[in-house]
Amino acid sequence: MDKNNSWIVVLVIVAVAVCCCLLLITAGSTYLFMNSSQAPTETGSVKPPISEPVLPTIDLPENPLQTGTPPSVDNPHDQVVIPENILSQMQEIEKQVEKIRGLTGIEELDRKTLTQEELRLRVLNDFFADYTPEDVKNDGVILSLFGLIERDYDLYHLFIDLYSEQIAGFYDDETKEMVVVLDENFAGPERMTYAHEYTHALQDAVYGLNDGLKLDDETCEADSEYCAAVSALVEGDASLTEANWFREYSTRRDKKEVYEFYKDYTSPIFDKTPPFLKDDLIFPYSQGLDFVTSLYEKGGYEAIDNAYLNPPVSTEQILHPERYPDDKPITIQLDDFSETLGDGWQEIDRNTLGEWYTYLFLAKPLHEDWAINDKSAVKAAEGWGGDLYLVYHNSEKDADVLISLFEWDTQGDADEFWKEVTRYGLNRFGKANNQSKNTMGWNTSDAVVSFKRQGKQFLWVSAPDEEISSLILKKFDLFN
C-alpha cells in the first residue's frame, strides 16, 4: 500500500469510529436497511418466536435527558467552557475547511463540550427515543428473512454497545450543534474529526441535510436506497475534505498522533457484529469517498456541489459513479397482499434492497457457508435495475412472509443473477424439493421458499406453509 492510500485508510477508520453513530440516528433503523428469512441456524432448524426486546441496561438513570440528568447534557448553561487555546484551534480549522470546501454560510456555530459518558448518553437517548421495541422486533424479522441475522438477534444492545465503543463527537443537524468530547485534549484525531464534522455543518448550512436533502425518518422509511445514496454523498464529501485538510493543514504532531491512534485502534464490538453490518456501516465512508472522489477528479468541488442539487438516488449510482445521474432505478409495483393472506397479517415493511443489499445478502449472509464468493456476488448484483420487497408478520401465528420482486437491466444480467442466487439458495436451504429451468423451491421445517424467474424479472417468496405460498404465487401471472 502506498503512503497516500495508507492515510486514506486512517481517515476512514477515524471517521467511522466517531461518526457512524450519527448516520444511524439520522435515518433511524431504516438506514441500516429499510427498517432490517427465516434464517435457520442450520437447515431445517425451528425458528425462535419473536419476543419483545429487553430494554437496555445502562449504568446510569434510565432516561437521563428526560429527567434532566446529567445537567451538562440538557442545560447549555452547565456546559464546560472551551479552553481558549482549543477554541482558537477550532476556529482555525473552521476557516481552513471553508477555504478547502469553498462553502460558507454558518452565521453562528453552537459548540458543545461533553464528557465521553455524557456524549454517549446523548447519542443513546437521541437514537432510542425513536427506535422502539417494535422497530427492533420488525428489523429482526426483515433482516432474518434475507438471511443476514438470526430472527431473534439482539439488535437493541448491539447498537448500544457500538455507540459506547467509539464516540468522539458529531454535528447535530437538528440542534445545529458541534458536539465534541473534551475528556483529555484536542489532539490530532480530534482535530481531524473536527474538520470532518465541520464539513457537515457547512453542508447543512448550504444544502440542508434535513430540509433540503430529506435525510429524515419519513423519507428514509419510504426509500432507504435514496437515503443510503445521499448519506454516501454527505459522508464521502466530509471524508474527502477531511483528507484534504489533513494533507494541507495538519501539523507534524497531528500526523504522529493520528498514526498512533491508527496503530493502537481496536474495535471489539464492531469486529463481532454480523458480517453484513460491518460492511454496511462503512459503506457511506468507503464507497461514498470513492463516489465523491470520482466527481472531484472530473470537476473539483463544483462537481460535488452540483451533486447536492441533483442527489444520487440509488446505491447503484454510488457503486458505479459513471452511471450517475442518468441510470435511474426501474420502478417496481406490488399490490397489498393483506386480503390475500387473510386475517392477522400485517405489512411491516415495503422497500427496496438496491444493488448494495443485493450484494450483501449474497456475499455477507449470517453463515459463511451460505455465501457465494465475493467476486461472483459483485458481478451478480451489478446488473440490478430495480426491486421492491414486502414483509408481512402474523403476531398470533408468529409467522412471516417475504415477497421480493427484482428486475435486471439486461437479459444477460438476469441470467447471471439467476445462476448465483440459485447457488446461494442451495447453500442456504439445501437440496431443492423442486427445480426446473426457471424455478427452484424448498420446503424447510419453518418455511416454503420459492425462487422464480421470467425474462428479466426474479421473484422470491417465503411463506410459512404451502397454502399461503400458493395464494401468493397465484397473484403473479407472469411466473405461472
PDB file of all heavy atoms in Angstrom, residues 427-456:
ATOM      1  N   ASN A 427     -26.961 -23.287  -1.057  1.00  0.00           N
ATOM      2  CA  ASN A 427     -26.100 -23.180   0.127  1.00  0.00           C
ATOM      3  C   ASN A 427     -26.916 -22.978   1.396  1.00  0.00           C
ATOM      4  O   ASN A 427     -26.626 -23.562   2.442  1.00  0.00           O
ATOM      5  CB  ASN A 427     -25.131 -22.002  -0.025  1.00  0.00           C
ATOM      6  CG  ASN A 427     -24.071 -22.223  -1.085  1.00  0.00           C
ATOM      7  OD1 ASN A 427     -23.873 -23.348  -1.544  1.00  0.00           O
ATOM      8  ND2 ASN A 427     -23.405 -21.156  -1.479  1.00  0.00           N
ATOM      9  N   ARG A 428     -27.940 -22.150   1.290  1.00  0.00           N
ATOM     10  CA  ARG A 428     -28.699 -21.765   2.474  1.00  0.00           C
ATOM     11  C   ARG A 428     -29.792 -22.772   2.833  1.00  0.00           C
ATOM     12  O   ARG A 428     -29.949 -23.133   4.008  1.00  0.00           O
ATOM     13  CB  ARG A 428     -29.321 -20.381   2.255  1.00  0.00           C
ATOM     14  CG  ARG A 428     -30.163 -19.913   3.423  1.00  0.00           C
ATOM     15  CD  ARG A 428     -30.708 -18.522   3.202  1.00  0.00           C
ATOM     16  NE  ARG A 428     -31.698 -18.182   4.223  1.00  0.00           N
ATOM     17  CZ  ARG A 428     -32.435 -17.096   4.232  1.00  0.00           C
ATOM     18  NH1 ARG A 428     -32.309 -16.211   3.258  1.00  0.00           N
ATOM     19  NH2 ARG A 428     -33.315 -16.883   5.196  1.00  0.00           N
ATOM     20  N   PHE A 429     -30.563 -23.216   1.839  1.00  0.00           N
ATOM     21  CA  PHE A 429     -31.739 -24.043   2.122  1.00  0.00           C
ATOM     22  C   PHE A 429     -31.523 -25.531   1.864  1.00  0.00           C
ATOM     23  O   PHE A 429     -32.362 -26.352   2.212  1.00  0.00           O
ATOM     24  CB  PHE A 429     -32.932 -23.556   1.279  1.00  0.00           C
ATOM     25  CG  PHE A 429     -33.294 -22.115   1.511  1.00  0.00           C
ATOM     26  CD1 PHE A 429     -33.120 -21.177   0.506  1.00  0.00           C
ATOM     27  CD2 PHE A 429     -33.782 -21.689   2.738  1.00  0.00           C
ATOM     28  CE1 PHE A 429     -33.448 -19.835   0.711  1.00  0.00           C
ATOM     29  CE2 PHE A 429     -34.111 -20.358   2.956  1.00  0.00           C
ATOM     30  CZ  PHE A 429     -33.939 -19.430   1.936  1.00  0.00           C
ATOM     31  N   GLY A 430     -30.400 -25.859   1.241  1.00  0.00           N
ATOM     32  CA  GLY A 430     -30.129 -27.262   0.962  1.00  0.00           C
ATOM     33  C   GLY A 430     -30.681 -27.696  -0.393  1.00  0.00           C
ATOM     34  O   GLY A 430     -31.011 -26.878  -1.253  1.00  0.00           O
ATOM     35  N   LYS A 431     -30.780 -28.993  -0.583  1.00  0.00           N
ATOM     36  CA  LYS A 431     -31.271 -29.539  -1.838  1.00  0.00           C
ATOM     37  C   LYS A 431     -32.701 -29.094  -2.100  1.00  0.00           C
ATOM     38  O   LYS A 431     -33.552 -29.132  -1.218  1.00  0.00           O
ATOM     39  CB  LYS A 431     -31.197 -31.065  -1.810  1.00  0.00           C
ATOM     40  CG  LYS A 431     -31.602 -31.726  -3.125  1.00  0.00           C
ATOM     41  CD  LYS A 431     -31.474 -33.232  -3.034  1.00  0.00           C
ATOM     42  CE  LYS A 431     -31.903 -33.898  -4.334  1.00  0.00           C
ATOM     43  NZ  LYS A 431     -31.798 -35.369  -4.269  1.00  0.00           N
ATOM     44  N   ALA A 432     -32.958 -28.665  -3.346  1.00  0.00           N
ATOM     45  CA  ALA A 432     -34.292 -28.168  -3.689  1.00  0.00           C
ATOM     46  C   ALA A 432     -35.293 -29.307  -3.767  1.00  0.00           C
ATOM     47  O   ALA A 432     -34.977 -30.410  -4.220  1.00  0.00           O
ATOM     48  CB  ALA A 432     -34.241 -27.427  -5.023  1.00  0.00           C
ATOM     49  N   ASN A 433     -36.537 -29.028  -3.328  1.00  0.00           N
ATOM     50  CA  ASN A 433     -37.624 -30.004  -3.462  1.00  0.00           C
ATOM     51  C   ASN A 433     -38.146 -30.059  -4.886  1.00  0.00           C
ATOM     52  O   ASN A 433     -38.632 -31.094  -5.339  1.00  0.00           O
ATOM     53  CB  ASN A 433     -38.781 -29.643  -2.521  1.00  0.00           C
ATOM     54  CG  ASN A 433     -38.394 -29.766  -1.069  1.00  0.00           C
ATOM     55  OD1 ASN A 433     -37.963 -28.792  -0.466  1.00  0.00           O
ATOM     56  ND2 ASN A 433     -38.511 -30.958  -0.504  1.00  0.00           N
ATOM     57  N   ASN A 434     -38.102 -28.920  -5.553  1.00  0.00           N
ATOM     58  CA  ASN A 434     -38.482 -28.914  -6.970  1.00  0.00           C
ATOM     59  C   ASN A 434     -37.569 -27.949  -7.708  1.00  0.00           C
ATOM     60  O   ASN A 434     -37.158 -26.919  -7.168  1.00  0.00           O
ATOM     61  CB  ASN A 434     -39.956 -28.529  -7.152  1.00  0.00           C
ATOM     62  CG  ASN A 434     -40.283 -27.162  -6.584  1.00  0.00           C
ATOM     63  OD1 ASN A 434     -40.017 -26.143  -7.217  1.00  0.00           O
ATOM     64  ND2 ASN A 434     -40.870 -27.135  -5.389  1.00  0.00           N
ATOM     65  N   GLN A 435     -37.254 -28.291  -8.932  1.00  0.00           N
ATOM     66  CA  GLN A 435     -36.292 -27.495  -9.690  1.00  0.00           C
ATOM     67  C   GLN A 435     -36.552 -27.656 -11.174  1.00  0.00           C
ATOM     68  O   GLN A 435     -36.801 -28.755 -11.666  1.00  0.00           O
ATOM     69  CB  GLN A 435     -34.861 -27.944  -9.356  1.00  0.00           C
ATOM     70  CG  GLN A 435     -33.777 -27.137 -10.041  1.00  0.00           C
ATOM     71  CD  GLN A 435     -32.382 -27.497  -9.553  1.00  0.00           C
ATOM     72  OE1 GLN A 435     -32.224 -28.275  -8.600  1.00  0.00           O
ATOM     73  NE2 GLN A 435     -31.361 -26.952 -10.187  1.00  0.00           N
ATOM     74  N   SER A 436     -36.535 -26.525 -11.888  1.00  0.00           N
ATOM     75  CA  SER A 436     -36.643 -26.527 -13.341  1.00  0.00           C
ATOM     76  C   SER A 436     -35.779 -25.393 -13.870  1.00  0.00           C
ATOM     77  O   SER A 436     -35.039 -24.749 -13.107  1.00  0.00           O
ATOM     78  CB  SER A 436     -38.105 -26.342 -13.777  1.00  0.00           C
ATOM     79  OG  SER A 436     -38.571 -25.054 -13.420  1.00  0.00           O
ATOM     80  N   LYS A 437     -35.889 -25.116 -15.139  1.00  0.00           N
ATOM     81  CA  LYS A 437     -35.068 -24.071 -15.739  1.00  0.00           C
ATOM     82  C   LYS A 437     -35.319 -22.712 -15.094  1.00  0.00           C
ATOM     83  O   LYS A 437     -34.394 -21.915 -14.939  1.00  0.00           O
ATOM     84  CB  LYS A 437     -35.353 -24.003 -17.237  1.00  0.00           C
ATOM     85  CG  LYS A 437     -34.512 -22.967 -17.971  1.00  0.00           C
ATOM     86  CD  LYS A 437     -34.843 -22.950 -19.455  1.00  0.00           C
ATOM     87  CE  LYS A 437     -34.024 -21.887 -20.173  1.00  0.00           C
ATOM     88  NZ  LYS A 437     -34.349 -21.817 -21.626  1.00  0.00           N
ATOM     89  N   ASN A 438     -36.567 -22.457 -14.710  1.00  0.00           N
ATOM     90  CA  ASN A 438     -36.939 -21.135 -14.210  1.00  0.00           C
ATOM     91  C   ASN A 438     -37.495 -21.135 -12.792  1.00  0.00           C
ATOM     92  O   ASN A 438     -38.003 -20.112 -12.328  1.00  0.00           O
ATOM     93  CB  ASN A 438     -37.972 -20.491 -15.143  1.00  0.00           C
ATOM     94  CG  ASN A 438     -37.418 -20.242 -16.533  1.00  0.00           C
ATOM     95  OD1 ASN A 438     -36.298 -19.781 -16.690  1.00  0.00           O
ATOM     96  ND2 ASN A 438     -38.203 -20.571 -17.552  1.00  0.00           N
ATOM     97  N   THR A 439     -37.399 -22.261 -12.103  1.00  0.00           N
ATOM     98  CA  THR A 439     -37.981 -22.355 -10.758  1.00  0.00           C
ATOM     99  C   THR A 439     -37.100 -23.196  -9.855  1.00  0.00           C
ATOM    100  O   THR A 439     -36.556 -24.221 -10.275  1.00  0.00           O
ATOM    101  CB  THR A 439     -39.384 -23.000 -10.810  1.00  0.00           C
ATOM    102  OG1 THR A 439     -40.239 -22.185 -11.609  1.00  0.00           O
ATOM    103  CG2 THR A 439     -39.989 -23.121  -9.416  1.00  0.00           C
ATOM    104  N   MET A 440     -36.968 -22.751  -8.603  1.00  0.00           N
ATOM    105  CA  MET A 440     -36.377 -23.579  -7.565  1.00  0.00           C
ATOM    106  C   MET A 440     -37.203 -23.382  -6.305  1.00  0.00           C
ATOM    107  O   MET A 440     -37.624 -22.259  -5.997  1.00  0.00           O
ATOM    108  CB  MET A 440     -34.919 -23.203  -7.293  1.00  0.00           C
ATOM    109  CG  MET A 440     -33.968 -23.606  -8.400  1.00  0.00           C
ATOM    110  SD  MET A 440     -32.223 -23.507  -7.909  1.00  0.00           S
ATOM    111  CE  MET A 440     -32.061 -24.974  -6.917  1.00  0.00           C
ATOM    112  N   GLY A 441     -37.472 -24.488  -5.584  1.00  0.00           N
ATOM    113  CA  GLY A 441     -38.286 -24.381  -4.383  1.00  0.00           C
ATOM    114  C   GLY A 441     -37.778 -25.285  -3.278  1.00  0.00           C
ATOM    115  O   GLY A 441     -37.222 -26.356  -3.538  1.00  0.00           O
ATOM    116  N   TRP A 442     -37.982 -24.849  -2.048  1.00  0.00           N
ATOM    117  CA  TRP A 442     -37.555 -25.599  -0.876  1.00  0.00           C
ATOM    118  C   TRP A 442     -38.687 -25.642   0.157  1.00  0.00           C
ATOM    119  O   TRP A 442     -39.402 -24.658   0.344  1.00  0.00           O
ATOM    120  CB  TRP A 442     -36.349 -24.930  -0.207  1.00  0.00           C
ATOM    121  CG  TRP A 442     -35.110 -24.879  -1.039  1.00  0.00           C
ATOM    122  CD1 TRP A 442     -34.081 -25.762  -1.048  1.00  0.00           C
ATOM    123  CD2 TRP A 442     -34.750 -23.855  -1.985  1.00  0.00           C
ATOM    124  NE1 TRP A 442     -33.107 -25.376  -1.929  1.00  0.00           N
ATOM    125  CE2 TRP A 442     -33.491 -24.199  -2.525  1.00  0.00           C
ATOM    126  CE3 TRP A 442     -35.380 -22.688  -2.434  1.00  0.00           C
ATOM    127  CZ2 TRP A 442     -32.845 -23.428  -3.482  1.00  0.00           C
ATOM    128  CZ3 TRP A 442     -34.747 -21.919  -3.390  1.00  0.00           C
ATOM    129  CH2 TRP A 442     -33.491 -22.289  -3.906  1.00  0.00           C
ATOM    130  N   ASN A 443     -38.841 -26.763   0.798  1.00  0.00           N
ATOM    131  CA  ASN A 443     -39.737 -26.904   1.942  1.00  0.00           C
ATOM    132  C   ASN A 443     -38.881 -27.212   3.161  1.00  0.00           C
ATOM    133  O   ASN A 443     -38.425 -28.342   3.336  1.00  0.00           O
ATOM    134  CB  ASN A 443     -40.741 -28.045   1.714  1.00  0.00           C
ATOM    135  CG  ASN A 443     -41.804 -27.679   0.703  1.00  0.00           C
ATOM    136  OD1 ASN A 443     -41.484 -27.292  -0.422  1.00  0.00           O
ATOM    137  ND2 ASN A 443     -43.060 -27.798   1.072  1.00  0.00           N
ATOM    138  N   THR A 444     -38.668 -26.190   3.996  1.00  0.00           N
ATOM    139  CA  THR A 444     -37.926 -26.392   5.228  1.00  0.00           C
ATOM    140  C   THR A 444     -38.916 -26.604   6.369  1.00  0.00           C
ATOM    141  O   THR A 444     -40.124 -26.558   6.162  1.00  0.00           O
ATOM    142  CB  THR A 444     -37.013 -25.189   5.532  1.00  0.00           C
ATOM    143  OG1 THR A 444     -37.815 -24.081   5.946  1.00  0.00           O
ATOM    144  CG2 THR A 444     -36.191 -24.793   4.319  1.00  0.00           C
ATOM    145  N   SER A 445     -38.414 -26.795   7.544  1.00  0.00           N
ATOM    146  CA  SER A 445     -39.310 -27.034   8.678  1.00  0.00           C
ATOM    147  C   SER A 445     -40.119 -25.803   9.048  1.00  0.00           C
ATOM    148  O   SER A 445     -41.145 -25.901   9.725  1.00  0.00           O
ATOM    149  CB  SER A 445     -38.503 -27.504   9.898  1.00  0.00           C
ATOM    150  OG  SER A 445     -37.603 -26.486  10.294  1.00  0.00           O
ATOM    151  N   ASP A 446     -39.682 -24.624   8.631  1.00  0.00           N
ATOM    152  CA  ASP A 446     -40.408 -23.417   9.025  1.00  0.00           C
ATOM    153  C   ASP A 446     -40.786 -22.502   7.874  1.00  0.00           C
ATOM    154  O   ASP A 446     -41.353 -21.435   8.085  1.00  0.00           O
ATOM    155  CB  ASP A 446     -39.600 -22.621  10.057  1.00  0.00           C
ATOM    156  CG  ASP A 446     -38.223 -22.234   9.549  1.00  0.00           C
ATOM    157  OD1 ASP A 446     -37.929 -22.490   8.371  1.00  0.00           O
ATOM    158  OD2 ASP A 446     -37.440 -21.666  10.327  1.00  0.00           O
ATOM    159  N   ALA A 447     -40.491 -22.880   6.633  1.00  0.00           N
ATOM    160  CA  ALA A 447     -40.820 -22.003   5.508  1.00  0.00           C
ATOM    161  C   ALA A 447     -40.892 -22.778   4.201  1.00  0.00           C
ATOM    162  O   ALA A 447     -40.205 -23.796   4.026  1.00  0.00           O
ATOM    163  CB  ALA A 447     -39.790 -20.886   5.399  1.00  0.00           C
ATOM    164  N   VAL A 448     -41.731 -22.279   3.321  1.00  0.00           N
ATOM    165  CA  VAL A 448     -41.776 -22.735   1.930  1.00  0.00           C
ATOM    166  C   VAL A 448     -41.183 -21.602   1.100  1.00  0.00           C
ATOM    167  O   VAL A 448     -41.714 -20.486   1.094  1.00  0.00           O
ATOM    168  CB  VAL A 448     -43.210 -23.033   1.481  1.00  0.00           C
ATOM    169  CG1 VAL A 448     -43.247 -23.404   0.004  1.00  0.00           C
ATOM    170  CG2 VAL A 448     -43.809 -24.147   2.320  1.00  0.00           C
ATOM    171  N   VAL A 449     -40.073 -21.873   0.446  1.00  0.00           N
ATOM    172  CA  VAL A 449     -39.321 -20.836  -0.261  1.00  0.00           C
ATOM    173  C   VAL A 449     -39.340 -21.118  -1.753  1.00  0.00           C
ATOM    174  O   VAL A 449     -39.096 -22.252  -2.186  1.00  0.00           O
ATOM    175  CB  VAL A 449     -37.860 -20.782   0.230  1.00  0.00           C
ATOM    176  CG1 VAL A 449     -37.083 -19.696  -0.507  1.00  0.00           C
ATOM    177  CG2 VAL A 449     -37.809 -20.549   1.738  1.00  0.00           C
ATOM    178  N   SER A 450     -39.640 -20.073  -2.537  1.00  0.00           N
ATOM    179  CA  SER A 450     -39.680 -20.209  -3.998  1.00  0.00           C
ATOM    180  C   SER A 450     -38.828 -19.131  -4.652  1.00  0.00           C
ATOM    181  O   SER A 450     -38.940 -17.952  -4.304  1.00  0.00           O
ATOM    182  CB  SER A 450     -41.117 -20.073  -4.509  1.00  0.00           C
ATOM    183  OG  SER A 450     -41.944 -21.095  -4.009  1.00  0.00           O
ATOM    184  N   PHE A 451     -37.969 -19.555  -5.577  1.00  0.00           N
ATOM    185  CA  PHE A 451     -37.270 -18.652  -6.477  1.00  0.00           C
ATOM    186  C   PHE A 451     -37.845 -18.890  -7.861  1.00  0.00           C
ATOM    187  O   PHE A 451     -37.892 -20.032  -8.335  1.00  0.00           O
ATOM    188  CB  PHE A 451     -35.764 -18.958  -6.529  1.00  0.00           C
ATOM    189  CG  PHE A 451     -34.981 -18.564  -5.312  1.00  0.00           C
ATOM    190  CD1 PHE A 451     -33.616 -18.855  -5.242  1.00  0.00           C
ATOM    191  CD2 PHE A 451     -35.562 -17.904  -4.242  1.00  0.00           C
ATOM    192  CE1 PHE A 451     -32.868 -18.499  -4.128  1.00  0.00           C
ATOM    193  CE2 PHE A 451     -34.820 -17.544  -3.117  1.00  0.00           C
ATOM    194  CZ  PHE A 451     -33.462 -17.856  -3.063  1.00  0.00           C
ATOM    195  N   LYS A 452     -38.282 -17.835  -8.547  1.00  0.00           N
ATOM    196  CA  LYS A 452     -38.809 -17.962  -9.905  1.00  0.00           C
ATOM    197  C   LYS A 452     -38.258 -16.844 -10.769  1.00  0.00           C
ATOM    198  O   LYS A 452     -37.988 -15.744 -10.279  1.00  0.00           O
ATOM    199  CB  LYS A 452     -40.340 -17.900  -9.903  1.00  0.00           C
ATOM    200  CG  LYS A 452     -41.024 -19.115  -9.301  1.00  0.00           C
ATOM    201  CD  LYS A 452     -42.538 -18.945  -9.302  1.00  0.00           C
ATOM    202  CE  LYS A 452     -43.241 -20.217  -8.844  1.00  0.00           C
ATOM    203  NZ  LYS A 452     -43.218 -21.265  -9.883  1.00  0.00           N
ATOM    204  N   ARG A 453     -38.111 -17.128 -12.040  1.00  0.00           N
ATOM    205  CA  ARG A 453     -37.677 -16.078 -12.955  1.00  0.00           C
ATOM    206  C   ARG A 453     -38.494 -16.145 -14.237  1.00  0.00           C
ATOM    207  O   ARG A 453     -39.002 -17.196 -14.638  1.00  0.00           O
ATOM    208  CB  ARG A 453     -36.193 -16.207 -13.280  1.00  0.00           C
ATOM    209  CG  ARG A 453     -35.833 -17.419 -14.124  1.00  0.00           C
ATOM    210  CD  ARG A 453     -34.430 -17.259 -14.681  1.00  0.00           C
ATOM    211  NE  ARG A 453     -33.977 -18.435 -15.403  1.00  0.00           N
ATOM    212  CZ  ARG A 453     -32.918 -18.457 -16.190  1.00  0.00           C
ATOM    213  NH1 ARG A 453     -32.203 -17.362 -16.360  1.00  0.00           N
ATOM    214  NH2 ARG A 453     -32.554 -19.563 -16.804  1.00  0.00           N
ATOM    215  N   GLN A 454     -38.635 -14.985 -14.870  1.00  0.00           N
ATOM    216  CA  GLN A 454     -39.294 -14.874 -16.161  1.00  0.00           C
ATOM    217  C   GLN A 454     -38.726 -13.642 -16.856  1.00  0.00           C
ATOM    218  O   GLN A 454     -38.863 -12.527 -16.362  1.00  0.00           O
ATOM    219  CB  GLN A 454     -40.806 -14.737 -15.996  1.00  0.00           C
ATOM    220  CG  GLN A 454     -41.575 -14.652 -17.300  1.00  0.00           C
ATOM    221  CD  GLN A 454     -41.423 -15.920 -18.139  1.00  0.00           C
ATOM    222  OE1 GLN A 454     -41.552 -17.028 -17.631  1.00  0.00           O
ATOM    223  NE2 GLN A 454     -41.136 -15.764 -19.419  1.00  0.00           N
ATOM    224  N   GLY A 455     -38.058 -13.863 -17.975  1.00  0.00           N
ATOM    225  CA  GLY A 455     -37.422 -12.752 -18.659  1.00  0.00           C
ATOM    226  C   GLY A 455     -36.382 -12.104 -17.754  1.00  0.00           C
ATOM    227  O   GLY A 455     -35.505 -12.760 -17.202  1.00  0.00           O
ATOM    228  N   LYS A 456     -36.504 -10.797 -17.577  1.00  0.00           N
ATOM    229  CA  LYS A 456     -35.535 -10.059 -16.760  1.00  0.00           C
ATOM    230  C   LYS A 456     -35.984  -9.916 -15.307  1.00  0.00           C
ATOM    231  O   LYS A 456     -35.357  -9.198 -14.532  1.00  0.00           O
ATOM    232  CB  LYS A 456     -35.301  -8.671 -17.368  1.00  0.00           C
ATOM    233  CG  LYS A 456     -34.609  -8.698 -18.728  1.00  0.00           C
ATOM    234  CD  LYS A 456     -34.227  -7.308 -19.216  1.00  0.00           C
ATOM    235  CE  LYS A 456     -35.436  -6.474 -19.580  1.00  0.00           C
ATOM    236  NZ  LYS A 456     -35.050  -5.140 -20.115  1.00  0.00           N
TER     237      LYS A 456
END
